[in-house]
Amino acid sequence: MTAPLVIVHLYGRRMNIYGDIGNVLALRRRLEWRGIGLRAVAVDEGDDFDFEEADIVVAGGGEDASQQAIAADLVERGPAVHRAVTAGVVFLTVCGTYQLFGRRFVTADGSEIPGIGVFGAETFGGGSRMIGNVVVDTPWGELVGFENHSGRTRLDPGQAALGQVRRGHGNDGESGAEGAIIGNCLGTYLHGSVLPKNPALADDLIRRALVRRGDAGPGLGALDDAVERRAAESAASRP
Amino acid sequence: MLRIRLAVALARLVGAATRLVGRGGTALPGLVALAVAPRLIERIAAGIEGGVVVVTGTNGKTTTAKMITAMLTGSGRRVVTNRTGSNLARGVAAALVGAWRRGRLAADIAVLEVDEAAVRHLGPALQPRVIVVTNLARDQLDRYGELVTTAGHVGAAVSAAATAVLAADDPMVASLAVDHTRPVAWFGAVAELRAALPDDRALHDTGPTAPSRPVDALLSRADPSGDGTRIAVTVDGAEVGVTIQVPGVYNAYNATAALLAVARLGLDPVASAVHLAAMPPAFGRGQVIEYRGRRVKVVLVKNPASLNQAIRLLSEDRVPRAVLMAINDNHADGRDVSWLWDAEVESLSTTPHRFLAGGVRCADMALRFKYAGIAAPAESDRRRALDALVDESAPGDLVYLVPTYTAMLGFLEILLPHRSREEVWS
C-alpha cells in the first residue's frame, strides 16, 4: 500500500441529520481492520478542495435550511464534482445531497433549489413524508436502511437506479426505484447509517477506490460481519 | 361548567375502570375528558389561582417539573402536576381531572410538563404564568421533524407566557427571546460547566453559539456526590448550595432552571433548596432500583443529546461497571435508530466498563459499539439481558441500565414486579 486513501466528509457540519457520520466511521474502521491507511478530510462550505484528490466522498442529509445553505456552494463546486465523477472518484450521497446531485429540487412551495445534475434526476417536495425501514434489492444484494423524506425523486429514462425497493418507498413511492448510480457515484435515501449495516456496499466502495488507484492487489480480505448481518436482519424485520 | 363537570365525572369513571382491570394507563381518562369537553384544559387552567407553570424543551422536562413541584409543595402550595410524564394534551387533561374535588380544582398552582410539539397549542391554551424552556436539541426526526419546526412550536408558547425562563447557553432557546416583549429570566452555567454539557454542537454545526449575556441564575459548581450532585447556584444574587439526588451536570442545569422558576413565582430560592435536596430522582432519570442484590441505576435516553449525557455520566464513573444499553424502536422511542451514530459512543471505549446491548434493536446497539471499538454482546430478551448484567457484576455492585422509553417500561415490569406503574411514578 502506498499513500493512504483519502475519505472526504462533504458538508459534514450541516448535512448530518440521520447519523450520516456512521458512513465515514464504517469506511474508517473497515480500512483500519485491514491495515489500509486513510486520511479523513472534512470539506464544508467555502473550504478549498480539489475532489480529484479524494478517493471516496461521503455526503449526507440535512434540514431544509441546511440544504439551502449548502446549495450555492455545491453549484460552485459543480464542475469540479463532475470532473471527479468522470475521473472515477467514489461518491456516496445520501438524502439531501443525493437530491442536489440531481438537476434540481423543487420545494413544496414552488421555489427551486438548483442541483449539479450529476444524476439524471429531479426532486419535487411535498406530500406526505415517506418514513420507515427500507429493504432494497441491488447488485450488492439486499440493502437495508431507514428513509425519511418528503421529496419525490424522478429518474430520467436511462438513469440507472441503485436498486428496486422490496419494502418501503424509495425514490418516489411509486416507481419502485431506489437511489441512483452513475459510474462510481451513488445516491440513496437510505440512512441508518447505511454503510455499517450494509458491509458489502461499504467494501465495494473501498474496492472501487482501490481499483481506480491501481491498488486493488489480491482484493479485500474478508471480515467477520456477523454483527453487521444481525443488525441488517433486525432492521429489515421492523416496520 | 356543567360540561366540565360531566367530562370530569366520566374521565374519573374510566380511570377507575382501567385501574380495576389492572392497566395503569393514563391516556384514556384524558382522552375521554377532552372528547366531552374539548376546551376543558383552558377552562380549568384559567381558574387556577396561582397560575400555570409550563416546562418544555427536548431534554430535562420531567426532572425540572418535578423539582419545581417539590419546592412549591415544600412551601405549602397545593400543586397539580402531570407527574407521570404524560405530556400531551390528554396527559395534561388527565392531571387536571385527577385533581378535581367537589366541583373545583383542589390545587393552588399547576406545574405541567408539555411535549415540545404539543406546546404550540397547549401553551396558548394554558396561558402560563411562567414557561421554562430547558433546551432544544435534535430529537426523534421521524416524530418531531426538523429542529427549527420545534423551535417555532416552543416560540408560540413562549409568546403566550407572562414570564419566560430560558436557557441562555442554548442558541436555539436564546433565539426564542428575540421578539419577546415580556419579561425573560435567563439561566446558565459558568464556561467550564457549559463545556461539560453535551449538546448537538459537539458533533454538528447547528448555527452560531448563543450570545453571552448576564444571567439571573448561574450554575457555578456541579460535583458528583454519592449518587447525586453537589451544586452551587447564584439566583438573583443569592447563593444556593445544595446536594441534589440526581446525577450529572445536565441535572444541575435542570436544578438551576427550577430554582429560577420558583424565584419568579415568589419563593425564596435559598429556603427552597432543602426541598430540592429531598427530591428523589424522577422515573428512570437516575433512579436506583434493587434487583437480585445489585443496585440498578436507570438512565433514560431518547436522542443524541441525552445519550451523550448518559455517556458523560458513565465516563465520570471510574469504577468498572456492567452497563446495559437497551434500544427499542417503537413509536414512543422513535422508529429510526440512526441517532445512535450521532452520539459519542467512542468515548466509552476508554472507560473500564463492560457493555451489553439490549432492546428490540440490540443488534444496532451492538453494531454501534463495534464501530466504537467496543465488543458488546447483544440480547433482545429482557430477562436474559438482566441475567447477563447480574453475571457481569457482584452482589452490592452498582450497575447501569440505559434504556429508551419503551425499553425502560419493559425492564421496569421485571425490576419492579409487585408495584404498579403509578406507584413507581409517584
Side-chain angles (χ1 to χ4, degrees), chain A residues 158-197:
Chain A
Q159 168 63 63
L162 204 61
Q164 294 293 311
V165 282
R166 191 189 304 162
R167 241 196 63 202
H169 299 91
N171 282 341
D172 57 5
E174 292 168 13
S175 64
E178 206 304 308
I181 179 166
I182 180 161
N184 282 345
C185 183
L186 285 68
T188 181
Y189 277 114
L190 269 57
H191 61 258
S193 317
V194 65
L195 293 186
K197 268 205 274 286

Side-chain angles (χ1 to χ4, degrees), chain B residues 150-397:
Chain B
T150 304
H153 296 329
V154 174
V158 166
S159 303
T163 296
V165 172
L166 302 180
D169 306 331
D170 184 309
M172 272 293 199
V173 176
S175 72
L176 298 176
V178 171
D179 301 321
H180 198 59
T181 51
R182 298 191 217 183
V184 174
W186 296 100
F187 64 94
V190 294
E192 166 200 345
L193 291 172
R194 211 156 56 215
L197 195 74
D199 64 21
D200 277 353
R201 286 166 298 280
L203 263 174
H204 316 296
D205 175 45
T206 50
T209 53
S212 66
R213 54 163 54 84
V215 295
D216 304 281
L218 181 70
L219 174 69
S220 58
R221 185 181 155 194
D223 301 324
S225 170
D227 283 336
T229 314
R230 177 80 195 159
I231 65 168
V233 184
T234 309
V235 188
D236 299 327
E239 304 279 339
V240 181
V242 61
T243 300
I244 54 176
Q245 295 182 37
V246 282
V249 174
Y250 58 100
N251 276 320
Y253 223 82
N254 293 335
T256 306
L259 283 164
L260 182 56
V262 298
R264 288 300 171 271
L265 293 166
L267 261 55
D268 174 1
V270 178
S272 300
V274 59
H275 307 300
L276 190 58
M279 191 204 85
F283 188 52
R285 277 78 171 180
Q287 184 187 26
V288 178
I289 300 168
E290 287 282 324
Y291 178 73
R292 292 176 57 191
R294 274 67 174 171
R295 301 170 57 237
V296 183
K297 182 175 275 196
V298 186
V299 182
L300 173 71
V301 294
K302 43 186 185 173
N303 46 42
S306 60
L307 181 52
N308 279 340
Q309 288 169 353
I311 287 168
R312 187 85 51 157
L313 197 66
L314 292 168
S315 304
E316 283 167 5
D317 192 340
R318 313 268 183 230
V319 182
R321 309 283 190 196
V323 180
L324 171 59
M325 287 204 178
I327 308 301
N328 277 8
D329 65 352
N330 296 312
H331 179 73
D333 306 293
R335 289 162 56 205
D336 182 2
V337 297
S338 53
W339 57 275
L340 297 176
W341 294 91
D342 285 325
E344 298 156 8
V345 182
E346 281 68 26
S347 61
L348 291 175
S349 65
T350 54
T351 66
H353 311 316
R354 298 165 310 282
F355 295 94
L356 302 156
V360 173
R361 297 299 288 269
C362 60
D364 280 81
M365 191 65 236
L367 184 64
R368 180 68 188 92
F369 275 130
K370 177 178 176 179
Y371 280 81
I374 298 165
E379 178 53 69
S380 60
D381 182 83
R382 290 194 295 264
R383 210 166 277 279
R384 281 202 295 270
L386 284 175
D387 286 347
L389 200 56
V390 167
D391 290 345
E392 286 286 328
S393 57
D397 278 359

Side-chain angles (χ1 to χ4, degrees), chain A residues 6-16 19-25 39-44 47 49 51 56-61 92, chain B residues 203-204:
Chain A
V6 176
I7 310 288
V8 173
H9 193 189
L10 177 61
Y11 303 132
R13 282 197 307 156
R14 282 191 191 268
M15 302 295 277
N16 55 34
D20 293 310
I21 190 79
N23 291 329
V24 181
L25 192 57
R39 188 162 65 87
V41 181
V43 177
D44 293 287
D47 291 347
F49 186 76
F51 284 100
I56 304 178
V57 180
V58 177
L92 174 67
Chain B
L203 263 174
H204 316 296

Side-chain angles (χ1 to χ4, degrees), chain B residues 77-230:
Chain B
R77 311 292 205 279
R78 294 177 308 158
V79 183
V80 54
T81 184
N82 52 343
R83 63 165 186 239
T84 60
S86 177
N87 59 18
L88 303 175
R90 66 188 77 144
V92 169
L96 296 176
V97 164
W100 196 267
R101 301 280 181 280
R102 297 197 190 106
R104 57 193 304 269
L105 196 71
D108 310 314
I109 188 167
V111 177
L112 299 168
E113 164 193 345
V114 179
D115 172 87
E116 58 273 31
V119 80
R120 175 176 200 90
H121 300 295
L122 280 173
L126 290 165
Q127 291 288 311
R129 178 176 167 196
V130 170
I131 186 166
V132 180
V133 185
T134 55
N135 50 63
L136 285 171
R138 184 178 291 182
D139 206 348
Q140 303 151 16
L141 294 154
D142 54 311
R143 287 178 67 205
Y144 290 99
E146 301 191 343
L147 183 54
V148 287
T149 313
T150 304
H153 296 329
V154 174
V158 166
S159 303
T163 296
V165 172
L166 302 180
D169 306 331
D170 184 309
M172 272 293 199
V173 176
S175 72
L176 298 176
V178 171
D179 301 321
H180 198 59
T181 51
R182 298 191 217 183
V184 174
W186 296 100
F187 64 94
V190 294
E192 166 200 345
L193 291 172
R194 211 156 56 215
L197 195 74
D199 64 21
D200 277 353
R201 286 166 298 280
L203 263 174
H204 316 296
D205 175 45
T206 50
T209 53
S212 66
R213 54 163 54 84
V215 295
D216 304 281
L218 181 70
L219 174 69
S220 58
R221 185 181 155 194
D223 301 324
S225 170
D227 283 336
T229 314
R230 177 80 195 159

